[in-house]
Amino acid sequence: MLGTPEAAPSRTAGERRRLDAVHRYGLLDDAPDGALDRVAALAARLFGAPMATVSVVGADRIRLKAAYGPTGARELGREPGLAASAIERDGPYVVPDTLRDPRTAAHPLVQGAPGVRFYAAAPITTPGGDRLGAVDVWDTRPREADADRLAALGELAALVAEELEGRLAAARTLAAERRMRTGAERLARTLQRTLLPPALPAVPGLSAAAAYHTASPDEVGGDFYDLFPLADGRWAFFLGDVCGKGADAAALTSLTRYTLRAAAIHDPDPGAALATLDAVLKAEYQDGDPRYCTAVFGVLESAPDGSFEVVLAAGGHPPALVLRADGTSRPVPTPGGQLIGLLPAPHFARNTVRLEPGDALLLYTDGLTEARTDDGGMLGEDGLADRLADLAPHGAEALLAAVDKLLGDLGDGVSDDTALLALSVPARPAGAPPTAPVHPALADPPRPTAPSAQENR
C-alpha cells in the first residue's frame, strides 16, 4: 500500500520532489523486503563486511528496507553523516574511518551499537533523478574501498532502482486494469509483460530477438528470459520456466529473474548464478510447499574475428539448439542438469559453444518441444532440430519467424506457453576479412522485443 506524505517543516523544492518520489514508490510504510535483503547480502559479501543495508530516507527518519548482519533497528533517525548524507551525492559516498571524520563522528551508529567505523554507500536513483536512499555497507573497523567494489555497489543500487520502477509500473498497471474491469484476459496479458524485459539491448556484433507465445490468453504463465551487459564487457542471458500458473507463478517468475540478475553482478559464472538461485528458492519457500524452476544461463564473450564464445549452464532445462551457417543444427548438450530449488544438492551441467559468423543459437522452454504433432506424438528436441533445418533460417529474427510458423502449424497441439530467445552472429560478406565487434557507443539503440505471434492470431 502506498503511504501518505509525512508532516515536515519547510523544505526545498528538490527535497519535496524527492519525498514525493519516496511515497510514490510506497517505501516507508511497507514491511521489510525479502528480495532486497538479498541485495544487502550481496553487498556485504562484495566488501567482505559484516553488515549491509538497503535504506530509504524519509523526511525525518530512515527506513532500512533490507538488512544483512547485526544492524539493529529497522528504523533510524535522520542524523547526517551516513545514509542521510549519501543521498546528497550522485556517486559513491565513502567514510574510511567514521571516528576521524567530522561528518560522522557523532552519529549514533558510530558512538553506539553496532559501532560503525567504515561506511560506503551508493545512492538509489530513480529514472527522474530523485535519490530515494542507498545501498550501504557497514564495518566495525576502519578500511579503504577500491574503485571496483564501489562500481559494483553502484550497479547493485541501480538494480534496486530498476526493481522498484518495475514494481511501480506493475502496480499502476494492475490498478488501471481493475478500474477498467475489462476482464481476466487483458489483465493477464498486461501482467505477463511486466515479467519480461520490454526490449532487448543491442549487443555489438550480435543480433538478438525474443518472443513469448501464450497458450492460454487468460492465464499468466511462468516462462522468462533476459539479456543484459556485465561490467567486464561480456554479456549474460538466461531463459527458463517456473512451476505453476497464475499469481503464484508470476511471483516466482519475478523473484527468479531478479535473483539471476543480482547474482550475475556478484559472480557472473553461469553455474554460480544457478546455484545462487537454487539457494534463494530454498530459503524463500520453507513452508513445505517448494517452488522450483528450470533454467539455462549463459555468458557471451566476443572475439576479434567476430565470433562469440558462449558458456552455458543448465538446470533441468531443454538443451539450446545451435544452427550453423552451413545449414546443420544440433543441440548443445547439458546432460544431468537438475531442477533448481527442489533437490538437496543439485548438479548444474555446463557446456561451451562458439558461434561463428552466420551461426545462431536458440533457447526455448518446453512448451515448444512438448507440443503434439499431427500423429499425436511430441515434437521433441530432434523434431525441432529437423524442422528448423528444413526451413534454413538465417539470423535471430528469421529464426523466431521460423519457430512462429512451426507453432502455427502445430495449432491445438501447443498446450503450454513458450518463451524464445535467439542469438545470431551476422554472416560475414564474401571475401571480407574478420573484424572486431562494434564499440558499444556506436551500437544501434535497443530494439523492441518481438511480439507474441499467438497473441496476434
Side-chain angles (χ1 to χ4, degrees), residues 1-3 18-30 56 65 125-128 130 132 160-169 172:
M1 179 181 295
L2 300 182
R18 191 194 71 79
L19 289 172
D20 287 343
V22 168
H23 291 286
R24 185 168 63 251
Y25 286 90
L27 296 175
L28 290 178
D29 298 326
D30 288 351
V56 177
K65 291 294 295 179
T125 307
T126 70
D130 298 307
L132 307 175
V160 172
E162 180 182 317
E163 171 70 5
L164 296 177
E165 190 70 18
R167 293 180 185 181
L168 181 61
R172 286 172 170 171

Side-chain angles (χ1 to χ4, degrees), residues 285-307:
Y285 298 99
Q286 298 179 350
D287 56 359
D289 186 20
R291 292 288 186 268
Y292 58 89
C293 70
T294 70
V296 58
F297 189 105
V299 173
L300 291 158
E301 183 170 8
S302 62
D305 64 358
S307 66

Side-chain angles (χ1 to χ4, degrees), residues 18 27 41 45 124-125 132 170 177 180 184 189 199 226 247 263 310 389 398 412 424 451:
R18 191 194 71 79
L27 296 175
R45 286 197 289 270
I124 301 167
T125 307
L132 307 175
E177 292 294 330
M180 290 189 295
R189 288 181 177 178
D226 209 345
V310 186
D412 293 340
S424 65

Side-chain angles (χ1 to χ4, degrees), residues 39-399:
V39 172
L42 283 171
R45 286 197 289 270
L46 179 68
F47 277 76
M51 294 168 284
T53 70
V54 177
S55 59
V56 177
V57 181
D60 57 10
R61 58 194 170 109
I62 295 173
R63 175 82 169 178
L64 302 187
K65 291 294 295 179
Y68 175 88
T71 56
R74 282 281 186 171
E75 195 169 289
L76 308 168
R78 190 176 166 174
E79 287 84 3
L82 300 185
S85 297
I87 64 166
E88 298 175 0
R89 302 166 182 270
D90 289 329
Y93 173 65
V94 183
V95 183
D97 189 342
T98 58
L99 284 178
R100 294 179 177 273
D101 194 312
R103 298 172 297 178
T104 56
H107 196 283
L109 293 178
V110 176
Q111 292 295 327
V116 176
R117 291 293 305 275
F118 166 83
Y119 179 81
I124 301 167
T125 307
T126 70
D130 298 307
R131 294 186 284 274
L132 307 175
V135 178
D136 324 77
V137 176
W138 308 353
D139 205 340
T140 55
R141 60 183 177 86
R143 54 185 293 184
E144 298 292 334
D146 61 59
D148 288 342
R149 286 188 173 87
L150 290 176
L153 192 64
E155 291 174 7
L156 285 175
L159 190 61
V160 172
E162 180 182 317
E163 171 70 5
L164 296 177
E165 190 70 18
R167 293 180 185 181
L168 181 61
R172 286 172 170 171
T173 299
L174 287 173
E177 292 294 330
R178 290 192 182 106
R179 287 194 299 268
M180 290 189 295
R181 297 184 182 277
T182 54
E185 178 176 339
R186 185 171 181 177
L187 177 61
R189 288 181 177 178
T190 303
L191 180 58
Q192 188 76 68
R193 292 189 184 101
T194 69
L195 302 175
L196 300 170
L200 294 181
V203 180
L206 194 77
S207 296
Y212 194 100
H213 296 257
T214 55
S216 174
D218 59 355
E219 192 170 37
V220 179
D223 297 12
F224 58 90
Y225 58 80
D226 209 345
L227 171 67
F228 53 96
L230 298 173
D232 59 5
R234 296 181 297 169
W235 291 77
F237 61 89
F238 55 78
L239 179 141
D241 185 7
V242 308
C243 63
K245 295 283 186 182
D248 288 343
L252 182 57
T253 299
S254 178
L255 172 63
T256 298
R257 181 169 172 253
Y258 178 73
T259 298
L260 286 175
R261 287 199 66 149
I265 292 176
H266 179 64
D267 185 351
D269 176 78
L274 295 185
T276 297
L277 176 59
D278 179 73
V280 166
L281 294 185
K282 289 172 181 174
E284 191 73 14
Y285 298 99
Q286 298 179 350
D287 56 359
D289 186 20
R291 292 288 186 268
Y292 58 89
C293 70
T294 70
V296 58
F297 189 105
V299 173
L300 291 158
E301 183 170 8
S302 62
D305 64 358
S307 66
F308 281 80
E309 181 182 74
V310 186
V311 180
L312 294 170
H317 200 80
L321 183 67
V322 62
L323 295 92
R324 297 298 185 187
D326 61 6
T328 60
S329 62
R330 66 174 182 83
V332 182
T334 47
Q338 296 174 320
L339 288 174
I340 303 167
L342 189 64
L343 302 176
H347 168 70
F348 302 126
R350 298 172 63 100
N351 206 336
T352 301
V353 64
R354 182 168 293 276
L355 297 181
E356 303 288 348
D359 293 346
L361 186 72
L362 175 68
L363 284 79
Y364 55 89
T365 52
D366 59 11
L368 177 58
T369 49
E370 292 181 0
R372 298 287 173 173
T373 61
D374 291 340
D375 62 7
M378 288 196 302
L379 175 65
E381 296 162 9
D382 292 338
L384 173 63
D386 291 343
R387 295 205 184 197
L388 291 181
D390 292 340
L391 293 172
H394 296 285
E397 297 285 356
L399 183 51

